[in-house]
Amino acid sequence: MSSVNPKSDTITSYAERLIKSAKRAGAIHVDALAIRNTGDSISVRNGHIESVEHEDAQGFGLRAFVETSNGLAFATASSSDLSEAGLQKLAQQVVAMAKISEPDPDAVPPTGANHPSRTEQKAWQTSHPDRNHGWSIEKARDAALACEELARTHSTEISNSEGADASFGNTHIAYASSDGFCDDYSKSSASLSVSVIAGHGDGMQRDYAWHRAFNASDLRTPDSIAEEAATRAVARLNPGTMASGKATVVFEPRTASSMLGHFISAINGRAVLQQRTFLADALEQNIFPEFVTIEDNPNHTDGMGNRLFDGEGTRCVGHKLIENGKLNFFLTDRYAAKRLKMAETGSAVRGLTGDIAIGSSNLIWHPGNMDQQAIIGDIDHGLLVTEMIGFGINGVTGDYSRGAAGFLIENGKIVRPVSGITIAGNLKEMFANIEMVGSDLTWFGSSAVPTIAISGMTVAGK
């Protein structure tokens, strides 16, 4: 039977109690993370419910540091046992693991971080109140069924459905460290997606659409999502190929988001530290054209990656990673910042176990002033990429080769769908060869990207 004290049955109190237990067990520095997830999802296909799922889970992660003759050593462990005995067992276990771990003279303990002040914590709670996702399972079911029905009946050329999904939930995260910092925050989300198939036999084409928001009332309508999925699937029917050679490749926002991901991976402070990124020596250099600006913004109205502090309790502030084409920052946690002798960017990310990783909050690629049609109208020969296949990226050299499908552009116009294409280049050259950035900034959860056109890429078709 659990010995949980109901008066202190909060996720924050568990994190604080874990800190005390680990200190009693012999740790000299400790931090704890507690995560509670509740969520529901429903899947439908061809007008019938295929699955309904509910999740109510919580877990606690503990990182404990001990002093050895060769420096600090640490270990991590997690548990979902909420009893007092369970918390004590976890604390004793992780301290014992730390004592047999290899010391790291550069280890950074979870004390002395640049934590947000109490005033900042209160201001954040006021400006980011807990929000409910706004859905019941019945409303989610109705939305999924309506979205799928609208997509299946949008055109006579829609021949089948891969189904629609609706999900919603809340996540509550608490962090505490042995220097006295403790805070928590909650996030809600709701999402709706649908995927349909157009055509028959070997000529079938599929496509999808989705949207995720803090609250169901902020989601695009089922009609809008259904229309996008069906229209995209039908437009892809009867694809051809295109001649191999050099071409301007246009990435619509959905596929351009992958460029943002490649960039963020390349400026990961730990990758820089280990010299395993093609941008390791690019700090304060112009790696994009002057009209490109990319920021990491932890407090944006539309972003779902908002956070006041990171996985080490460090205060998060915004950074213009790329400003007028120049690389201003590598993303760092406290360890990478110390080793690189750089400022901390509050980019630590952690799970319940394992070492700290590095990640962004809300990434925003600032839009340009041309809409997608104007960008295409400015291209004599090119490819509009609407789907990427495979992952042929070498993060060390920047070499890039991926399968793609989309639409051939000739003399400023979309000519026909194409598939079975390979696009290739080198990311460093591709970043430098960006010719145009669209005005169609589109949010995908915690990132926002416009259309991007890159000249001089190698296209392999027939």
Side-chain angles (χ1 to χ4, degrees):
M1 179 180 292
S2 169
S3 61
V4 172
N5 179 355
K7 293 183 180 179
S8 58
D9 185 13
T10 68
I11 192 170
T12 306
S13 74
Y14 287 127
E16 291 179 316
R17 287 153 62 191
L18 269 175
I19 297 289
K20 293 177 181 177
S21 296
K23 295 280 284 186
R24 285 197 297 268
I28 59 171
H29 305 293
V30 197
D31 64 357
L33 184 72
I35 301 175
R36 176 175 291 164
N37 283 316
T38 58
D40 294 82
S41 63
I42 185 163
S43 299
V44 304
R45 183 170 179 272
N46 289 327
H48 301 286
I49 294 172
E50 289 210 322
S51 67
V52 183
E53 298 177 7
H54 173 76
E55 176 193 28
D56 188 348
Q58 54 192 351
F60 304 88
L62 188 63
R63 187 172 62 141
F65 287 70
V66 297
E67 187 73 58
T68 75
S69 57
N70 294 316
L72 289 174
F74 74 95
T76 64
S78 67
S79 174
S80 59
D81 186 348
L82 304 182
S83 69
E84 196 60 42
L87 298 181
Q88 290 179 16
K89 181 180 178 182
L90 174 62
Q92 292 166 358
Q93 181 182 40
V94 72
V95 169
M97 292 165 59
K99 288 179 178 177
I100 62 170
S101 298
E102 187 72 22
D104 182 349
D106 294 309
V108 179
T111 52
N114 183 21
H115 299 308
S117 66
R118 283 305 304 167
T119 301
E120 290 170 322
Q121 290 176 257
K122 290 179 180 177
W124 182 272
Q125 295 291 351
T126 301
S127 60
H128 299 77
D130 291 350
R131 294 184 64 188
N132 189 275
H133 45 71
W135 252 353
S136 63
I137 193 66
E138 291 80 10
K139 290 182 178 178
R141 173 201 61 196
D142 294 345
L145 287 169
C147 188
E148 202 226 8
E149 172 70 11
L150 290 163
R152 284 192 293 117
T153 58
H154 181 79
S155 165
T156 56
E157 295 184 279
I158 298 297
S159 58
N160 204 347
S161 168
E162 292 189 320
D165 297 282
S167 62
F168 56 92
N170 289 91
T171 299
H172 190 182
I173 300 171
Y175 174 86
S177 59
S178 52
D179 62 1
F181 177 75
C182 183
D183 202 358
D184 66 294
Y185 60 94
S186 296
K187 291 183 177 182
S188 64
S189 68
S191 66
L192 181 62
S193 65
V194 67
S195 176
V196 289
I197 297 169
H200 300 273
D202 294 339
M204 289 191 294
Q205 297 290 330
R206 64 168 292 277
D207 216 319
Y208 66 94
W210 66 277
H211 191 218
R212 186 162 69 100
F214 290 115
N215 188 278
S217 63
D218 299 325
L219 287 173
R220 292 167 53 194
T221 64
D223 312 50
S224 168
I225 294 172
E227 180 180 6
E228 179 186 345
T231 301
R232 290 176 66 98
V234 171
R236 295 178 60 167
L237 287 172
N238 305 312
T241 185
M242 63 184 289
S244 300
K246 296 290 186 182
T248 297
V249 175
V250 180
F251 295 87
E252 62 172 3
R254 185 188 291 189
T255 52
S257 62
S258 65
M259 286 294 134
L260 200 53
H262 300 324
F263 165 67
I264 287 301
S265 296
I267 63 165
N268 181 308
R270 296 213 178 194
V272 173
L273 188 62
Q274 297 163 0
Q275 293 289 300
R276 53 179 175 83
T277 163
F278 63 95
L279 293 181
D281 301 317
L283 193 64
E284 298 186 352
Q285 294 182 16
N286 292 314
I287 62 172
F288 287 92
E290 282 191 353
F291 53 82
V292 172
T293 295
I294 300 172
E295 68 172 310
D296 183 21
N297 186 338
N299 187 14
H300 193 284
T301 304
D302 298 319
M304 299 191 71
N306 290 337
R307 60 191 186 194
L308 177 61
F309 56 90
D310 71 358
E312 295 178 299
T314 300
R315 176 193 294 109
C316 295
V317 296
H319 294 88
K320 285 192 174 177
L321 306 174
I322 296 292
E323 187 170 20
N324 299 326
K326 186 173 76 173
L327 176 61
N328 288 332
F329 298 94
F330 292 133
L331 292 181
T332 60
D333 61 345
R334 297 181 68 207
Y335 180 85
K338 175 185 176 183
R339 294 286 307 277
L340 293 169
K341 297 181 172 57
M342 293 179 178
E344 300 168 8
T345 59
S347 305
V349 177
R350 62 181 296 184
L352 295 180
T353 57
D355 200 0
I356 299 290
I358 292 177
S360 54
S361 56
N362 297 304
L363 279 177
I364 305 160
W365 190 311
H366 287 203
N369 53 19
M370 300 174 70
D371 62 26
Q372 190 181 96
Q373 187 173 2
I375 288 175
I376 291 171
D378 207 40
I379 296 172
D380 291 333
H381 173 67
L383 171 68
L384 171 64
V385 176
T386 59
E387 183 181 30
M388 310 289 288
I389 304 163
F391 194 79
I393 313 296
N394 186 325
V396 178
T397 64
D399 287 343
Y400 178 99
S401 177
R402 297 192 67 181
F407 297 88
L408 176 66
I409 301 170
E410 293 287 2
N411 300 317
K413 295 182 179 178
I414 295 288
V415 177
R416 54 181 168 79
V418 292
S419 64
I421 309 297
T422 299
I423 56 175
N426 180 277
L427 284 169
K428 199 167 186 176
E429 294 174 357
M430 290 163 61
F431 291 165
N433 290 339
I434 290 176
E435 274 198 346
M436 293 171 277
V437 174
S439 58
D440 52 346
L441 186 70
T442 305
W443 278 93
F444 301 96
S446 59
S447 65
V449 198
T451 291
I452 297 166
I454 302 177
S455 64
M457 287 193 67
T458 299
V459 175
K462 60 184 179 182

